[in-house]
């Protein structure tokens, strides 16, 4: 069986479309088998989208973009900025590109990447992630570490994570990287938590 963090899913194609409303905007998304939350946008991603603060002229990064809801929503908010969207899953990237076109979003780059490898050396004002918990703690913590390195001074990392799927260890890792006074829980709902970690000026 494929995991959504497989680079080349082999499960049979089941392409379909669905509608969603995010940040007051109506969207049409294409989805398929072999990608994360294929039947509709998961609660955690929706909570992050509705909570995140994206600078209108910012350089934004979505790590683990899947078929694109977080990164594409960020691209609307960053109307004078740009969004890089990364995933290891080729099928998800194909869908994200299709969804960008379908919804008229042009200020995005959609790249195959293991964690942040594809944007090594770049800096961002805002990094967003619904991390691939099932890929394991080592992968998630590597994303956090690379995100810290890629953030501009004063920038923020936004993370959505379920309490029962490792939020205490994620919080501890973020405090270790950013400093205890730089990590806050912005909101929580139905067992999901939104953390914001700011890079000290």
């Amino acid at each position: 069986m494929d995991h959504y963090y497989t680079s080349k899913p082999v499960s049979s194609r089941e392409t379909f479309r669905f509608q969603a409303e995010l940040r007051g905007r109506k969207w049409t998304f294409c989805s398929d088998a072999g990608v994360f939350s294929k039947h509709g946008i998961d609660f955690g991603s929706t909570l992050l989208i509705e909570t995140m603060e994206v600078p209108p002229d910012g350089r934004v990064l979505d790590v683990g973009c899947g078929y694109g809801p977080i990164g594409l929503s960020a691209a609307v908010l960053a109307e004078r900025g740009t969004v890089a969207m990364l995933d290891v899953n080729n099928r998800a990237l194909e869908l994200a590109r299709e969804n960008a076109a379908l919804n008229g979003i042009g200020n995005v780059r959609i790249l195959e990447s293991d964690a942040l490898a594809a944007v090594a050396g770049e800096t961002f004002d805002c990094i967003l992630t619904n991390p691939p918990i099932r890929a394991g703690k080592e992968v998630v913590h590597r994303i956090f570490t690379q995100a810290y390195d890629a953030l501009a001074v004063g920038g923020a990392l936004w993370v959505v994570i379920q309490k029962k799927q490792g939020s205490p260890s994620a919080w501890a890792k973020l405090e270790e990287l950013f400093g205890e006074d730089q990590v806050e829980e912005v909101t929580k709902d139905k067992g999901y938590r939104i953390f914001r970690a700011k890079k000290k000026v």
Side-chain angles (χ1 to χ4, degrees), residues 59 119 121-125 149-152:
R59 296 159 297 173
V119 292
E122 296 186 42
T123 56
F124 299 91
D125 305 301
D149 292 338
L151 268 176

mmCIF file with all atom_site columns, all heavy atoms in Angstrom, residues 59 119 121-125 149-152:
data_model
loop_
_atom_site.group_PDB
_atom_site.id
_atom_site.type_symbol
_atom_site.label_atom_id
_atom_site.label_alt_id
_atom_site.label_comp_id
_atom_site.label_asym_id
_atom_site.label_entity_id
_atom_site.label_seq_id
_atom_site.pdbx_PDB_ins_code
_atom_site.Cartn_x
_atom_site.Cartn_y
_atom_site.Cartn_z
_atom_site.occupancy
_atom_site.B_iso_or_equiv
_atom_site.pdbx_formal_charge
_atom_site.auth_seq_id
_atom_site.auth_comp_id
_atom_site.auth_asym_id
_atom_site.auth_atom_id
_atom_site.pdbx_PDB_model_num
ATOM 1  N N   . ARG A 1 59  ? 7.741  36.169 0.961  1.00 0.00 ? 59  ARG A N   1
ATOM 2  C CA  . ARG A 1 59  ? 8.280  34.948 0.345  1.00 0.00 ? 59  ARG A CA  1
ATOM 3  C C   . ARG A 1 59  ? 7.825  33.810 1.257  1.00 0.00 ? 59  ARG A C   1
ATOM 4  O O   . ARG A 1 59  ? 8.254  33.731 2.414  1.00 0.00 ? 59  ARG A O   1
ATOM 5  C CB  . ARG A 1 59  ? 9.801  35.006 0.281  1.00 0.00 ? 59  ARG A CB  1
ATOM 6  C CG  . ARG A 1 59  ? 10.361 36.122 -0.604 1.00 0.00 ? 59  ARG A CG  1
ATOM 7  C CD  . ARG A 1 59  ? 11.795 36.442 -0.243 1.00 0.00 ? 59  ARG A CD  1
ATOM 8  N NE  . ARG A 1 59  ? 11.902 36.948 1.129  1.00 0.00 ? 59  ARG A NE  1
ATOM 9  C CZ  . ARG A 1 59  ? 13.043 37.173 1.753  1.00 0.00 ? 59  ARG A CZ  1
ATOM 10 N NH1 . ARG A 1 59  ? 14.191 36.920 1.169  1.00 0.00 ? 59  ARG A NH1 1
ATOM 11 N NH2 . ARG A 1 59  ? 13.043 37.630 3.001  1.00 0.00 ? 59  ARG A NH2 1
ATOM 12 N N   . VAL A 1 119 ? 14.942 23.950 -2.072 1.00 0.00 ? 119 VAL A N   1
ATOM 13 C CA  . VAL A 1 119 ? 15.077 25.408 -1.898 1.00 0.00 ? 119 VAL A CA  1
ATOM 14 C C   . VAL A 1 119 ? 16.273 25.747 -1.005 1.00 0.00 ? 119 VAL A C   1
ATOM 15 O O   . VAL A 1 119 ? 16.316 26.804 -0.376 1.00 0.00 ? 119 VAL A O   1
ATOM 16 C CB  . VAL A 1 119 ? 13.779 26.037 -1.334 1.00 0.00 ? 119 VAL A CB  1
ATOM 17 C CG1 . VAL A 1 119 ? 12.662 25.963 -2.368 1.00 0.00 ? 119 VAL A CG1 1
ATOM 18 C CG2 . VAL A 1 119 ? 13.352 25.376 -0.023 1.00 0.00 ? 119 VAL A CG2 1
ATOM 19 N N   . GLY A 1 121 ? 19.425 27.210 0.458  1.00 0.00 ? 121 GLY A N   1
ATOM 20 C CA  . GLY A 1 121 ? 20.063 28.493 0.207  1.00 0.00 ? 121 GLY A CA  1
ATOM 21 C C   . GLY A 1 121 ? 19.086 29.659 0.076  1.00 0.00 ? 121 GLY A C   1
ATOM 22 O O   . GLY A 1 121 ? 19.502 30.814 0.094  1.00 0.00 ? 121 GLY A O   1
ATOM 23 N N   . GLU A 1 122 ? 17.792 29.365 -0.062 1.00 0.00 ? 122 GLU A N   1
ATOM 24 C CA  . GLU A 1 122 ? 16.788 30.429 -0.140 1.00 0.00 ? 122 GLU A CA  1
ATOM 25 C C   . GLU A 1 122 ? 16.293 30.785 1.263  1.00 0.00 ? 122 GLU A C   1
ATOM 26 O O   . GLU A 1 122 ? 16.375 29.974 2.187  1.00 0.00 ? 122 GLU A O   1
ATOM 27 C CB  . GLU A 1 122 ? 15.598 29.988 -0.988 1.00 0.00 ? 122 GLU A CB  1
ATOM 28 C CG  . GLU A 1 122 ? 15.939 29.731 -2.452 1.00 0.00 ? 122 GLU A CG  1
ATOM 29 C CD  . GLU A 1 122 ? 14.700 29.437 -3.284 1.00 0.00 ? 122 GLU A CD  1
ATOM 30 O OE1 . GLU A 1 122 ? 13.669 30.130 -3.083 1.00 0.00 ? 122 GLU A OE1 1
ATOM 31 O OE2 . GLU A 1 122 ? 14.753 28.521 -4.120 1.00 0.00 ? 122 GLU A OE2 1
ATOM 32 N N   . THR A 1 123 ? 15.777 31.999 1.409  1.00 0.00 ? 123 THR A N   1
ATOM 33 C CA  . THR A 1 123 ? 15.175 32.387 2.687  1.00 0.00 ? 123 THR A CA  1
ATOM 34 C C   . THR A 1 123 ? 13.721 32.792 2.463  1.00 0.00 ? 123 THR A C   1
ATOM 35 O O   . THR A 1 123 ? 13.347 33.271 1.390  1.00 0.00 ? 123 THR A O   1
ATOM 36 C CB  . THR A 1 123 ? 15.930 33.559 3.351  1.00 0.00 ? 123 THR A CB  1
ATOM 37 O OG1 . THR A 1 123 ? 15.971 34.657 2.448  1.00 0.00 ? 123 THR A OG1 1
ATOM 38 C CG2 . THR A 1 123 ? 17.329 33.160 3.751  1.00 0.00 ? 123 THR A CG2 1
ATOM 39 N N   . PHE A 1 124 ? 12.918 32.608 3.519  1.00 0.00 ? 124 PHE A N   1
ATOM 40 C CA  . PHE A 1 124 ? 11.478 32.842 3.444  1.00 0.00 ? 124 PHE A CA  1
ATOM 41 C C   . PHE A 1 124 ? 11.015 33.635 4.657  1.00 0.00 ? 124 PHE A C   1
ATOM 42 O O   . PHE A 1 124 ? 11.571 33.518 5.744  1.00 0.00 ? 124 PHE A O   1
ATOM 43 C CB  . PHE A 1 124 ? 10.735 31.503 3.378  1.00 0.00 ? 124 PHE A CB  1
ATOM 44 C CG  . PHE A 1 124 ? 11.099 30.695 2.163  1.00 0.00 ? 124 PHE A CG  1
ATOM 45 C CD1 . PHE A 1 124 ? 12.153 29.782 2.211  1.00 0.00 ? 124 PHE A CD1 1
ATOM 46 C CD2 . PHE A 1 124 ? 10.421 30.861 0.969  1.00 0.00 ? 124 PHE A CD2 1
ATOM 47 C CE1 . PHE A 1 124 ? 12.521 29.055 1.084  1.00 0.00 ? 124 PHE A CE1 1
ATOM 48 C CE2 . PHE A 1 124 ? 10.780 30.135 -0.168 1.00 0.00 ? 124 PHE A CE2 1
ATOM 49 C CZ  . PHE A 1 124 ? 11.822 29.232 -0.100 1.00 0.00 ? 124 PHE A CZ  1
ATOM 50 N N   . ASP A 1 125 ? 9.967  34.432 4.446  1.00 0.00 ? 125 ASP A N   1
ATOM 51 C CA  . ASP A 1 125 ? 9.377  35.213 5.532  1.00 0.00 ? 125 ASP A CA  1
ATOM 52 C C   . ASP A 1 125 ? 8.370  34.400 6.334  1.00 0.00 ? 125 ASP A C   1
ATOM 53 O O   . ASP A 1 125 ? 8.084  34.714 7.491  1.00 0.00 ? 125 ASP A O   1
ATOM 54 C CB  . ASP A 1 125 ? 8.667  36.443 4.959  1.00 0.00 ? 125 ASP A CB  1
ATOM 55 C CG  . ASP A 1 125 ? 9.592  37.280 4.096  1.00 0.00 ? 125 ASP A CG  1
ATOM 56 O OD1 . ASP A 1 125 ? 10.629 37.730 4.620  1.00 0.00 ? 125 ASP A OD1 1
ATOM 57 O OD2 . ASP A 1 125 ? 9.286  37.464 2.897  1.00 0.00 ? 125 ASP A OD2 1
ATOM 58 N N   . ASP A 1 149 ? 16.468 27.165 9.626  1.00 0.00 ? 149 ASP A N   1
ATOM 59 C CA  . ASP A 1 149 ? 17.609 27.681 8.861  1.00 0.00 ? 149 ASP A CA  1
ATOM 60 C C   . ASP A 1 149 ? 17.158 28.528 7.672  1.00 0.00 ? 149 ASP A C   1
ATOM 61 O O   . ASP A 1 149 ? 17.850 29.471 7.283  1.00 0.00 ? 149 ASP A O   1
ATOM 62 C CB  . ASP A 1 149 ? 18.481 26.519 8.368  1.00 0.00 ? 149 ASP A CB  1
ATOM 63 C CG  . ASP A 1 149 ? 19.192 25.798 9.498  1.00 0.00 ? 149 ASP A CG  1
ATOM 64 O OD1 . ASP A 1 149 ? 19.357 26.406 10.586 1.00 0.00 ? 149 ASP A OD1 1
ATOM 65 O OD2 . ASP A 1 149 ? 19.575 24.622 9.318  1.00 0.00 ? 149 ASP A OD2 1
ATOM 66 N N   . ALA A 1 150 ? 16.009 28.199 7.084  1.00 0.00 ? 150 ALA A N   1
ATOM 67 C CA  . ALA A 1 150 ? 15.534 28.890 5.880  1.00 0.00 ? 150 ALA A CA  1
ATOM 68 C C   . ALA A 1 150 ? 14.724 30.153 6.177  1.00 0.00 ? 150 ALA A C   1
ATOM 69 O O   . ALA A 1 150 ? 14.434 30.923 5.268  1.00 0.00 ? 150 ALA A O   1
ATOM 70 C CB  . ALA A 1 150 ? 14.688 27.928 5.041  1.00 0.00 ? 150 ALA A CB  1
ATOM 71 N N   . LEU A 1 151 ? 14.359 30.364 7.434  1.00 0.00 ? 151 LEU A N   1
ATOM 72 C CA  . LEU A 1 151 ? 13.553 31.540 7.771  1.00 0.00 ? 151 LEU A CA  1
ATOM 73 C C   . LEU A 1 151 ? 14.407 32.798 7.819  1.00 0.00 ? 151 LEU A C   1
ATOM 74 O O   . LEU A 1 151 ? 15.510 32.797 8.362  1.00 0.00 ? 151 LEU A O   1
ATOM 75 C CB  . LEU A 1 151 ? 12.895 31.363 9.140  1.00 0.00 ? 151 LEU A CB  1
ATOM 76 C CG  . LEU A 1 151 ? 11.499 30.762 9.188  1.00 0.00 ? 151 LEU A CG  1
ATOM 77 C CD1 . LEU A 1 151 ? 11.081 30.589 10.639 1.00 0.00 ? 151 LEU A CD1 1
ATOM 78 C CD2 . LEU A 1 151 ? 10.464 31.591 8.432  1.00 0.00 ? 151 LEU A CD2 1
ATOM 79 N N   . ALA A 1 152 ? 13.861 33.867 7.266  1.00 0.00 ? 152 ALA A N   1
ATOM 80 C CA  . ALA A 1 152 ? 14.483 35.174 7.445  1.00 0.00 ? 152 ALA A CA  1
ATOM 81 C C   . ALA A 1 152 ? 14.320 35.586 8.903  1.00 0.00 ? 152 ALA A C   1
ATOM 82 O O   . ALA A 1 152 ? 13.372 35.156 9.581  1.00 0.00 ? 152 ALA A O   1
ATOM 83 C CB  . ALA A 1 152 ? 13.798 36.191 6.532  1.00 0.00 ? 152 ALA A CB  1
#
